């Protein structure tokens, strides 16, 4: 059904009837009945009068109350002092507002007033004056005779953007090839570094794990670092160690010696935007990232089976040391974490690789 | 030679003169005069004191945004007196027992101190966060009001652009704010932004290193976000708010159509005293309500999340509501990444995060100019449109809202899956299609509703309103009596402008020579016909006059 219609020019802007104009002012109840007006008057006064009472209550609560006391209201626990401070202050502020609005609505004159609008633009005559003044200014400046002055001045100011921008270059180190090799493309994993439990920092023996069990782990060397260094290292080195039945998973030939009897280790940092992946589904061997639901198949070298991530989870080659504890055989073979432009992603594992 | 001192023989007798006796001004007028003699503010006050503002509930939405911004400034100053924007590690020794002795950043420790050791600190923190939620929400709804009523049209295009600017940097301001406490949730958000910045082709890694001062998380990002959050962005917003308000005052507010309301006037109540009391009172109402919210409704309980640890995350991690649509887009995006040579093009992050945000703000900013291109309308507009009378604009707006809402819902696809016991994968697959199909469906439904409402208006103008009284005719038939409309309503329902769509001007003149530049192309005329012609022609004066189907008066 088409509504494409030509609208008659004559009616484009005219209403079906002439503008009846502003209606007559109708008195409010509070105007017509003095008693009603006085009731509203008293009600507003009462609201304003409560404000100092609440303000004093606020001060009393602030100084006199134990700040750790709590109270249960409707099944929810509140810090009592916090609650009372907020309620007294909030009500005091609210009452001022309600009182003022009531005053405006019921007491103040409510006759509508029409005010004329004025043309926004400058009048043609004034524009004429302006353009003359501008022309006089241009003439005074001498740029007509010496036109290069203006371009030179503007160019000079413009080029100042260069030092301003350049002075920001030290905001951070530059991710050159060499810097990236030491930062984004390297973690503190190294041959022989023990895998230790994230919580109790104890090294892990393959025999301690049951089939289906997943342990969050870190390199033992992480805890030699402190503060920001530890945070930066942790953001790349965090791993998960998982034991699966070797008969139910696919291990490509190239990664046969990256695992110890079905114990495999993967980066815990999602290849999408870098959340630590944490939701483990034992029966399917799927690991799900709680941030954006990218899902990786740990039984198939960490390939993506669902979600927005586009690259497999990097696997950490592991072995056991002479005391039987799990150790890394090397650093990760590809950079961990989210993609970046200079990342060479041709070496990541893809489903079906040998 | 000394001269004898001359004596003036005609020195006039000076009398001390006083100004003519004037009525002594009151104390207030005295103060006013004092100020005016030094500033000339009287000239401004003369024009502004009784400035008229129109009354409508929807005009309060922008006020809520303004007031919550003021509340944010006030509570923010309080918080900044205790907050330490440092990622330096300390051992927590505050009064929250469950975290005692844990290593954490000073930022997190000081947030805990504000929450548990500064009296009233938790209240102010929660008021600040609620006010932030309210600020973005009211600004969003205010923008929708302006869009659907056509208030962005000439002469207000620039004010619309200022609004879009504030809206976009408000998102940055909010993000910077909730990243500051350095708890597990805010750190997860920062990690997300790190991945987002990195994904930008060619310059991403460089930006990441410059923004974070090296590798994530480093030690600089919290101090940098702090200065952005408390100085840079609020300063920008404050400047834009000032310009926004100045233009509102200069343009005078728009008004809804009705009897006595013209393009050339503004009908309402004077600033002094009515709007001072109303708007001032409303500030206190907004402040009071946010304070009560801060008192009774918990928000961002950072002590439950623990300090940031890049190897931990909680299920159900989500940003504040206004970033939800970006989060949703990132979640449902297909895993598209190019691996060209030794480079990686991370479209799966760059498109839904960076490009989508840019797209929204570009479309919003461009709309007033697109619409005036479609209508060819160069006139000033101070009377608002009823949304039904601009069916295509309204339908496009609802389509946009639907798209936003679906992206936003997708940002909670895990919550949807667990709450409604459906498969997470199915929710995601559904949303991938719905964000494209949903807006189209919404467009056609809204278009239909607008046209139907326009038909209904015409019906009421011609036949009157349904009275609910059933009349039996002498012949036995039943019909419903209709009440005639009041003059006011007849005028209001038929006053809107219905301009004819643009018509294509010939591409060549009479001699077959192409006309350069000016003119309306066929494509523009077609689009204009679609945009302006999709409407129900309103009842004209002649039609109303000639209409024989007079309203049947109801029996009393």
């Amino acid at each position: 059904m088409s509504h494409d219609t030509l609208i008659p020019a004559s009616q484009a802007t005219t209403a079906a009837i002439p503008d009846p104009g502003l209606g007559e002012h109708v008195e409010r109840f509070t105007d017509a009945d003095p008693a009603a007006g006085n009731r509203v008057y008293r009600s507003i006064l009462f609201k304003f009068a409560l404000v100092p009472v609440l303000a004093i209550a606020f001060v009393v609560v602030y100084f006199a109350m134990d700040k750790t006391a709590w109270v249960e209201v409707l099944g929810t626990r509140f810090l009592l002092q916090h609650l009372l401070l907020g309620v007294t202050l909030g009500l005091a502020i609210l009452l001022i507002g309600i009182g003022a609005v009531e005053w405006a609505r019921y007491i103040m004159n409510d006759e509508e007033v029409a005010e004329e609008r004025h043309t926004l633009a400058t009048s043609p005559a004034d524009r004429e004056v302006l353009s003359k003044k501008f022309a006089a200014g241009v003439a005074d400046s001498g740029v007509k005779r010496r036109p290069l002055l203006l371009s030179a001045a503007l160019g000079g100011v413009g080029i100042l953007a260069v030092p301003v921008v350049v002075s920001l270059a030290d905001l951070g180190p530059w991710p050159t090839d060499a810097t990236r090799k030491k930062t984004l493309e390297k973690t503190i994993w190294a041959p022989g570094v023990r895998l230790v439990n994230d919580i109790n920092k104890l090294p892990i023996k393959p025999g301690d794990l049951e089939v289906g069990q997943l342990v969050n782990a870190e390199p033992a060397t992480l805890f030699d670092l402190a503060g920001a260094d530890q945070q930066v290292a942790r953001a790349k080195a965090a791993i998960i160690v998982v034991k699966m039945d070797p008969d139910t998973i696919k291990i490509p030939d190239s990664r046969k010696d990256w695992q110890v009897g079905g114990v495999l280790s993967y980066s815990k940092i999602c290849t999408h935007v870098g959340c630590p992946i944490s939701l483990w589904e034992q029966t399917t061997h799927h690991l799900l990232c709680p941030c954006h639901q990218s899902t990786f198949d740990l039984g198939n070298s960490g390939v993506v089976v669902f979600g927005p991530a586009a690259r497999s989870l990097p696997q950490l080659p592991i072995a056991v040391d002479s005391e039987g504890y799990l150790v890394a055989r090397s650093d990760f073979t590809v950079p961990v974490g989210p993609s970046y432009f200079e990342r060479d992603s041709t070496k990541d594992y893809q489903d079906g690789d040998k | 030679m000394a001269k004898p001192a001359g004596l003036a023989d005609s020195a006039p007798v000076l009398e001390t003169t006083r100004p003519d006796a004037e009525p002594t001004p009151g104390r207030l007028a005295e103060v006013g005069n004092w100020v005016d003699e030094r500033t000339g503010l009287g000239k401004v006050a003369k024009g502004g004191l009784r400035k008229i503002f129109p009354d409508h509930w929807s005009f309060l939405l922008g006020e809520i945004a303004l007031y919550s911004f003021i509340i944010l400034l006030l509570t923010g100053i309080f918080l900044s007196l205790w907050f330490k924007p440092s990622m330096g590690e300390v051992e927590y020794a505050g009064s929250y027992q469950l975290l005692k002795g844990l290593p954490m950043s000073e930022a997190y420790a000081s947030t805990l101190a504000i929450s548990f050791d500064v009296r009233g600190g938790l209240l102010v923190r929660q008021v600040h966060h609620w006010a932030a939620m309210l600020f973005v929400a009211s600004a969003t709804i205010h923008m929708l009001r302006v869009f659907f009523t056509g208030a962005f049209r000439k002469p207000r295009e620039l004010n619309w652009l200022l609004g879009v600017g504030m809206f976009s940097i408000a998102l940055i301001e909010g993000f910077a704010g909730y990243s500051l406490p350095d708890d597990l949730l805010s750190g997860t958000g920062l990690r997300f932004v790190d991945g987002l910045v990195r994904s930008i082709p060619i310059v991403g890694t460089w930006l990441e290193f410059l923004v974070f001062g090296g590798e994530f998380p480093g030690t600089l990002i919290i101090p940098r976000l702090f200065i952005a959050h408390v100085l840079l962005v609020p300063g920008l917003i404050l400047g834009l708010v000032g310009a926004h308000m100045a233009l509102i005052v200069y343009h005078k507010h728009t008004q809804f159509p009705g009897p006595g309301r013209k393009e050339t006037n503004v009908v309402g109540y004077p600033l002094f005293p009515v709007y001072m009391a109303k708007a001032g009172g409303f500030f206190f109402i907004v402040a009071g309500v946010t304070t009560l919210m801060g008192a009774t409704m918990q928000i961002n309980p950072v002590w439950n999340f623990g300090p940031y640890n890049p190897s931990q995350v909680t299920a159900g991690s989500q940003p504040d509501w206004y970033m939800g649509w970006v989060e949703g887009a990132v979640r449902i995006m297909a895993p598209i990444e190019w691996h060209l040579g030794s480079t990686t093009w991370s479209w799966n992050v760059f498109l839904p995060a960076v490009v989508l945000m840019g797209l929204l703000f570009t479309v919003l900013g461009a709309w007033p100019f697109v619409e005036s291109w479609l209508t060819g309308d160069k006139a000033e507009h101070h009377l608002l449109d009823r949304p039904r009378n601009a069916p295509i604009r309204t339908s496009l707006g609802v389509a946009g809202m639907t798209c936003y809402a679906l992206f936003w819902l997708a940002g909670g696809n895990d919550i949807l899956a667990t709450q409604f016991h459906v498969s997470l994968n199915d929710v995601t697959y559904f949303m991938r299609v719905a964000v494209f199909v949903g807006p189209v469906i919404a467009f056609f439904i809204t278009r239909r509703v607008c046209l139907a409402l326009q038909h209904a208006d015409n019906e009421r103008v011609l036949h009157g309103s349904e009275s609910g009284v059933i009349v039996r005719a002498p012949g036995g038939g039943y019909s419903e009596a209709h009440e005639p409309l009041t003059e006011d309503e007849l005028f209001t329902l038929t006053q809107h402008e219905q301009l004819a769509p643009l018509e294509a001007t010939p591409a060549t003149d009479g001699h077959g020579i192409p006309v350069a530049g000016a003119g309306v192309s066929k494509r523009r005329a077609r689009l204009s016909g679609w945009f302006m012609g999709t409407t129900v022609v309103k009842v004209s004066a002649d039609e109303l006059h000639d209409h024989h189907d007079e309203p049947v008066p109801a029996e009393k």
Side-chain angles (χ1 to χ4, degrees):
Chain A
M1 177 176 165
S2 171
H3 292 269
D4 286 17
T5 28
L6 276 186
I7 295 140
S10 61
Q11 87 167 74
T13 53
T14 50
I17 62 160
D19 185 352
L22 284 183
E24 279 203 15
H25 177 237
V26 182
E27 276 199 326
R28 291 164 300 194
F29 203 43
T30 44
D31 297 325
D33 178 4
N38 284 336
R39 270 201 301 280
V40 173
Y41 177 44
R42 278 194 301 274
S43 137
I44 298 172
L45 282 184
F46 177 68
K47 287 181 182 102
F48 287 156
L50 269 182
V51 174
V53 177
L54 287 163
I56 292 165
F58 179 93
V59 175
V60 171
V61 170
Y62 189 96
F63 286 112
M65 189 166 277
D66 169 18
K67 71 180 172 202
T68 59
W70 56 272
V71 63
E72 197 168 309
V73 185
L74 302 172
T76 309
R77 282 188 189 188
F78 290 93
L79 281 171
L80 186 59
Q81 190 192 41
H82 157 79
L83 181 70
L84 290 179
L85 286 177
V87 168
T88 49
L89 183 65
L91 279 180
I93 300 173
L94 189 63
L95 285 174
I96 295 176
I98 294 175
V101 170
E102 278 189 322
W103 182 3
R105 285 177 62 95
Y106 300 114
I107 310 278
M108 288 182 186
N109 181 11
D110 78 330
E111 276 174 271
E112 280 189 324
V113 185
E115 186 182 43
E116 290 302 303
R117 289 180 191 275
H118 305 289
T119 329
L120 295 171
T122 316
S123 72
D126 282 351
R127 279 189 191 177
E128 192 69 21
V129 173
L130 173 65
S131 67
K132 276 191 187 130
K133 285 190 175 177
F134 184 74
V138 172
D140 286 354
S141 70
V143 289
K144 282 247 170 82
R145 283 188 57 202
R146 299 184 175 88
L148 280 181
L149 276 175
L150 192 62
S151 352
L154 290 179
V157 172
I159 204 72
L160 286 183
V162 173
V164 170
V165 170
V166 164
S167 66
L168 293 176
D170 263 351
L171 275 175
W174 292 7
T176 54
D177 283 357
T179 312
R180 286 200 315 275
K181 285 209 170 64
K182 282 184 285 181
T183 54
L184 296 179
E185 285 153 21
K186 183 177 178 301
T187 76
I188 57 171
W189 286 109
V193 172
R194 276 185 180 168
L195 284 59
V196 299
N197 186 304
D198 190 12
I199 306 294
N200 58 24
K201 302 176 188 172
L202 294 176
I204 303 161
K205 282 185 173 168
D208 296 341
L209 299 170
E210 290 169 24
V211 170
Q213 191 182 348
L214 177 139
V215 172
N216 294 311
E218 302 286 354
T221 47
L222 178 72
F223 301 102
D224 302 336
L225 303 171
D229 292 339
Q230 196 190 61
Q231 291 285 77
V232 170
R234 191 193 281 270
K236 291 181 296 182
I239 53 162
I240 39 179
V241 182
V242 62
K243 183 166 188 175
M244 293 173 284
D245 178 353
D247 296 336
T248 63
I249 61 175
K250 280 195 266 184
I251 299 176
D253 289 342
S254 59
R255 296 186 170 194
K256 278 265 182 284
D257 50 1
W258 285 26
Q259 48 91 32
V260 181
V263 176
L264 283 76
S265 174
Y266 292 94
S267 166
K268 191 176 163 62
I269 308 302
C270 187
T271 59
H272 179 225
V273 289
C275 281
I277 313 174
S278 54
L279 302 175
W280 169 235
E281 207 173 64
Q282 260 190 38
T283 48
T284 57
H285 306 146
H286 288 176
L287 190 68
L288 182 127
C289 177
C291 288
H292 305 97
Q293 291 84 44
S294 294
T295 311
F296 303 86
D297 186 353
L298 301 194
N300 186 14
S301 301
V303 298
V304 180
V305 290
F306 180 75
R311 283 186 290 102
S312 306
L313 215 46
Q315 189 179 345
L316 182 73
I318 53 171
V320 285
D321 64 10
S322 54
E323 290 173 58
Y325 292 112
L326 290 173
V327 291
R329 287 171 48 112
S330 70
D331 195 354
F332 285 99
T333 55
V334 292
V336 298
S339 298
Y340 53 94
F341 183 71
E342 297 87 345
R343 189 181 192 280
D344 181 359
S345 302
T346 51
K347 298 188 186 78
D348 288 278
Y349 184 83
Q350 284 181 338
D351 201 8
D353 282 358
K354 291 291 170 201
Chain B
M1 283 204 359
K3 271 186 173 179
L7 281 176
D9 54 354
S10 61
V13 177
L14 286 177
E15 281 181 49
T16 47
T17 55
R18 286 170 185 277
D20 293 338
E22 284 173 21
T24 33
R27 181 67 56 79
L28 195 63
E30 262 177 30
V31 174
N33 287 343
W34 193 92
V35 174
D36 183 49
E37 282 159 16
R38 283 151 187 86
T39 60
L41 275 178
K43 290 190 274 292
V44 181
K46 185 189 76 157
L49 200 58
R50 296 281 282 177
K51 195 175 172 58
I52 300 300
F53 282 95
D55 222 16
H56 193 269
W57 64 266
S58 70
F59 301 162
L60 297 182
L61 296 166
E63 278 185 47
I64 300 179
L66 175 67
Y67 299 152
S68 32
F69 182 64
I70 296 171
I71 296 164
L72 285 167
L73 292 180
L74 296 175
T75 49
I77 291 168
F78 180 93
L79 294 174
S80 71
L81 301 178
W82 284 276
F83 180 70
K84 292 184 195 135
S86 156
M87 294 166 94
E89 202 174 70
V90 292
E91 201 169 278
Y92 181 66
S95 60
Y96 187 63
Q97 301 292 314
L98 294 181
L99 295 174
K100 255 203 172 130
L102 231 62
M104 58 179 62
S105 69
E106 281 197 277
Y108 186 56
S110 60
T111 309
L112 292 173
I114 289 171
S115 305
F116 294 113
D117 298 310
V118 177
R119 283 177 283 191
L122 178 61
L123 176 68
V124 178
R125 235 197 83 222
Q126 298 203 134
V127 172
H128 191 73
H129 206 137
W130 276 122
M133 302 289 235
L134 194 66
F135 175 59
V136 189
S138 53
T140 307
I141 301 172
H142 168 65
M143 276 182 95
L144 290 173
R145 195 281 293 171
V146 169
F147 178 83
F148 283 114
T149 58
F152 54 80
R153 290 173 297 172
K154 189 182 172 188
R156 296 184 176 76
E157 302 98 323
L158 290 177
N159 229 9
W160 170 262
L161 287 181
L162 290 176
V164 173
M166 280 190 276
F167 180 64
S168 52
I169 59 178
L171 301 191
I172 299 171
E173 176 69 349
F175 172 80
Y178 71 69
S179 295
L180 288 182
D182 204 22
D183 59 292
L184 187 56
L185 186 61
S186 72
T188 305
L190 271 178
R191 176 85 244 205
F192 168 79
V193 166
D194 171 62
L196 184 153
V197 173
R198 258 191 200 193
S199 74
I200 300 171
I202 302 171
V203 295
T205 321
W206 287 76
L207 282 178
E208 182 202 8
F209 270 57
L210 293 181
V211 168
F212 285 83
E215 277 191 289
F216 175 87
T219 55
L220 287 174
I221 190 67
I222 296 278
R224 285 180 180 177
L225 282 176
F226 177 73
I227 208 66
H229 181 73
V230 304
L231 180 72
L232 198 61
V233 187
L236 265 175
I237 296 181
L238 198 61
L240 291 174
V241 166
H244 202 67
M245 306 289 295
L247 276 177
I248 291 170
V249 169
Y250 185 60
H251 288 148
K252 298 199 166 93
H253 208 285
T254 51
Q255 58 190 345
F256 275 99
R261 276 111 176 121
K262 301 186 185 54
E263 289 285 7
T264 54
N265 71 4
V266 53
V267 177
Y269 303 106
L271 175 65
F272 175 73
V274 178
Y275 266 93
M276 282 185 183
K278 262 193 187 177
F282 193 50
F283 166 75
F284 282 93
I285 291 180
V286 173
V289 169
T290 37
T291 308
L292 290 175
M293 285 168 84
T296 57
M297 295 155 71
Q298 187 180 71
I299 187 163
N300 200 18
V302 287
W303 53 90
N304 281 345
F305 308 143
Y308 180 55
N309 175 336
S311 62
Q312 288 176 357
V313 69
T314 44
S317 289
Q318 274 171 337
D320 270 2
W321 77 266
Y322 43 85
M323 297 303 275
W325 64 288
V326 179
E327 169 84 2
V330 170
R331 286 185 182 201
I332 63 176
M333 180 66 189
I336 303 167
E337 209 173 69
W338 288 353
H339 302 148
L340 301 180
S342 63
T343 60
T344 300
W345 301 68
S346 189
W347 302 117
N348 53 345
V349 183
F350 179 65
L351 286 184
V354 185
V355 173
L356 187 72
M357 271 204 268
L359 189 71
L360 176 77
F361 300 131
T362 310
V363 169
L364 284 177
W367 178 256
F369 308 98
V370 172
E371 187 176 309
S372 81
W373 181 78
L374 286 170
T375 57
D377 187 357
K378 299 269 188 288
E380 280 188 15
H381 292 279
H382 302 289
L383 283 180
L384 296 171
D385 279 331
R386 299 170 77 217
R388 69 186 62 175
N389 289 334
I392 297 295
R393 179 208 295 149
T394 302
S395 309
L396 289 173
V398 174
M401 285 170 70
T402 308
C403 188
Y404 181 100
L406 286 166
F407 274 126
W408 189 82
L409 281 171
N413 59 354
D414 50 344
I415 311 284
L416 289 176
T418 52
Q419 290 298 307
F420 295 103
H421 305 287
V422 285
S423 144
L424 171 72
N425 305 25
D426 290 345
V427 173
T428 306
Y429 292 134
F430 174 81
M431 285 299 182
R432 281 178 183 173
V433 178
V435 291
F436 294 104
V437 176
V440 176
I441 298 173
F443 175 86
F444 284 107
I445 292 178
T446 314
R447 180 175 158 276
R448 189 64 253 153
V449 168
C450 285
L451 294 174
L453 284 170
Q454 285 188 306
H455 276 300
D457 282 350
N458 278 1
E459 286 292 304
R460 288 187 59 219
V461 168
L462 289 176
H463 305 285
S465 309
E466 293 173 1
S467 66
V469 176
I470 307 296
V471 180
R472 193 172 79 174
Y478 290 91
S479 63
E480 186 180 6
H482 282 207
E483 301 263 22
L485 296 190
T486 61
E487 283 207 319
D488 284 359
E489 215 172 345
L490 280 177
F491 176 74
T492 307
L493 292 181
T494 58
Q495 56 71 42
H496 55 284
E497 220 175 29
Q498 286 195 320
L499 296 176
L502 294 174
E503 282 182 53
T505 48
T508 52
D509 65 14
H511 306 287
I513 297 165
V515 178
V520 177
S521 70
K522 278 190 183 147
R523 196 180 45 158
R524 183 174 169 201
R526 241 193 339 271
L527 284 169
S528 179
W530 165 72
F531 186 77
M532 302 176 77
T534 309
T535 194
V536 176
V537 177
K538 67 181 183 178
V539 176
S540 70
D542 294 343
E543 274 177 285
L544 183 64
H545 188 256
D546 297 346
H547 202 74
H548 298 300
D549 184 4
E550 291 298 326
V552 183
E555 276 183 61
K556 291 270 146 58

